[in-house]
Amino acid sequence: MRFLIYQDSRIGARKTNQDRIGYSYSRDALFMALADGMGGHLHGEIAAQIAVQFMIEAFQRQAQPLINDPHRFLLDTITSAHLAILGYAEAKRLIETPRTTCVACIVQGGHAYWAHVGDSRLYLIRDGRIEAVTKDHSRVQMLVDAGRMRPEAMLAHPDRNKIFNCLGQLHPPRVDISRKTPLKHNDTVVLASDGFWAPLPQSLVVEKLLRKDVLQAMPALMDTAELRAGAEGDNLSVVAMTWQEEARADESSISTLLLELGDHSTKSTGFGESQGALHADYLTDEEIEHAIEEIRDAIHKQRV
């Protein structure tokens, strides 16, 4: 496989960053995930951390080097991540279960497969237009679907942040799964939290990606989203990948050909990292280590 990939997460105007992102690839498969934690000082972060970490670890176990059934993998791992979040809340005796949105994508064999819960989005951008986009599980999207609101009015609606479907809710989440989608050279897949996509017109995202590759366009789009959101800005996160054919690949693209069958390369965000994106300064080192151990325990129990 050959691809360009970029990821970043910023705190925006919030006190903490509850978004979590990550990707992992084997010789023949790539997995990308993004989760946007909902509510609570620490708990939203933990729900998002459990979701992304759980799915990446499952990918690393199963991509040897391919995922046998990508659609089943996405459904099973997202559902299991939800159960791990519930298990964490039960073990901690929390009054309210931490919650998070989630969007994830597998690329293998020249095809993309994706799934989402909530309003974290995936865009497939091809030849200067949006080929596919996930549909938000939100109250305003329901109004649009019912013909009671124009799509361009969604961002100004007072209920724009109200989500009816997420991981950590009391009943099982509805996981929307895409069809098997063939990729063409220079197709770009973008996973984004609402802090990124909400301030940006889709036309601007497409325009930037027409002129520059993801490694150049995405940092500029992150800057623009953060600037436009201003003092009300949410955490903003993206994972963006451009698929490339081997014969036409850029020199800067990643090649997986040299990976051994059982090897994986992974990059993800987590508690206590040195990068400024997560801003976990309000936690002591001891609290960070304790949170990490509790998350590992929740994931292990669900795996068993």
Side-chain angles (χ1 to χ4, degrees):
M1 298 192 304
R2 291 293 290 261
F3 53 87
L4 295 167
I5 193 161
Y6 170 89
Q7 72 171 14
D8 188 20
S9 183
R10 302 184 187 178
I11 195 169
R14 300 298 173 90
K15 293 182 179 179
T16 61
N17 192 342
Q18 295 189 322
D19 289 357
R20 292 294 184 269
I21 55 177
Y23 66 84
S24 183
Y25 58 87
S26 65
R27 192 193 66 182
D28 296 333
L30 167 68
F31 177 73
M32 299 171 284
L34 181 150
D36 180 354
M38 301 165 59
H41 180 59
L42 176 63
H43 297 157
E45 295 178 3
I46 287 181
Q49 181 78 30
I50 289 173
V52 170
Q53 186 173 333
F54 187 99
M55 290 187 289
I56 285 179
E57 290 183 7
F59 173 81
Q60 291 169 339
R61 290 193 305 272
Q62 296 187 37
Q64 300 291 334
L66 288 170
I67 295 295
N68 289 332
D69 184 342
H71 286 134
R72 173 55 58 184
F73 174 87
L74 290 167
L75 178 61
D76 287 350
T77 55
I78 290 175
T79 301
S80 295
H82 162 74
L83 295 175
I85 293 169
L86 295 183
Y88 172 88
E90 182 179 3
K92 294 286 292 179
R93 298 183 180 178
L94 299 179
I95 297 175
E96 184 176 2
T97 304
R99 301 181 181 189
T100 185
T101 68
C102 176
V103 59
C105 178
I106 293 172
V107 175
Q108 66 178 32
H111 292 78
Y113 312 75
W114 61 84
H116 81 289
V117 176
D119 68 347
S120 291
R121 291 184 179 178
L122 180 145
Y123 297 94
L124 173 59
I125 300 171
R126 172 179 296 162
D127 298 330
R129 62 186 177 88
I130 293 179
E131 182 75 11
V133 60
T134 52
K135 183 177 288 190
D136 303 338
H137 300 148
S138 65
R139 188 164 296 179
V140 292
Q141 184 65 59
M142 292 175 66
L143 294 174
V144 171
D145 293 344
R148 297 169 57 189
M149 181 190 300
R150 300 189 312 276
E152 55 268 26
M154 293 173 65
L155 300 182
H157 196 279
D159 289 341
R160 64 187 180 277
N161 293 323
K162 293 187 177 180
I163 309 301
F164 65 81
N165 187 36
C166 62
L167 304 190
Q169 61 192 15
L170 294 181
H171 54 278
R174 189 186 89 200
V175 182
D176 284 357
I177 307 261
S178 76
R179 61 183 175 85
K180 179 182 179 181
T181 304
L183 295 176
K184 297 181 179 180
H185 179 69
N186 274 342
D187 279 359
T188 297
V189 176
V190 179
L191 284 65
S193 64
D194 63 337
F196 174 84
W197 62 256
L200 297 177
Q202 293 182 14
S203 58
L204 178 61
V205 177
V206 170
E207 178 188 349
K208 290 287 187 183
L209 286 169
L210 258 180
R211 296 181 178 182
K212 298 180 178 179
D213 64 35
V214 289
L215 303 181
Q216 298 173 304
M218 282 299 157
L221 286 168
M222 289 284 281
D223 291 342
T224 302
E226 195 167 13
L227 181 63
R228 289 191 175 194
E232 300 299 318
D234 198 355
N235 309 146
L236 59 160
S237 302
V238 293
V239 183
M241 181 278 305
T242 297
W243 176 256
Q244 298 198 323
E245 297 174 359
E246 187 70 33
R248 305 163 66 186
D250 296 343
E251 291 183 0
S252 56
S253 63
I254 292 173
S255 173
T256 66
L257 293 179
L258 296 180
L259 282 178
E260 298 292 337
L261 288 181
D263 288 349
H264 299 85
S265 181
T266 302
K267 183 178 180 181
S268 62
T269 58
F271 288 105
E273 296 187 358
S274 58
Q275 62 176 312
L278 298 179
H279 285 254
D281 294 340
Y282 66 92
L283 293 173
T284 66
D285 289 344
E286 184 177 349
E287 288 172 329
I288 289 172
E289 287 300 321
H290 187 58
I292 290 171
E293 287 302 318
E294 289 176 334
I295 289 169
R296 286 174 179 162
D297 187 53
I299 291 173
H300 175 75
K301 286 179 178 178
Q302 187 54 40
R303 281 181 54 189
V304 173

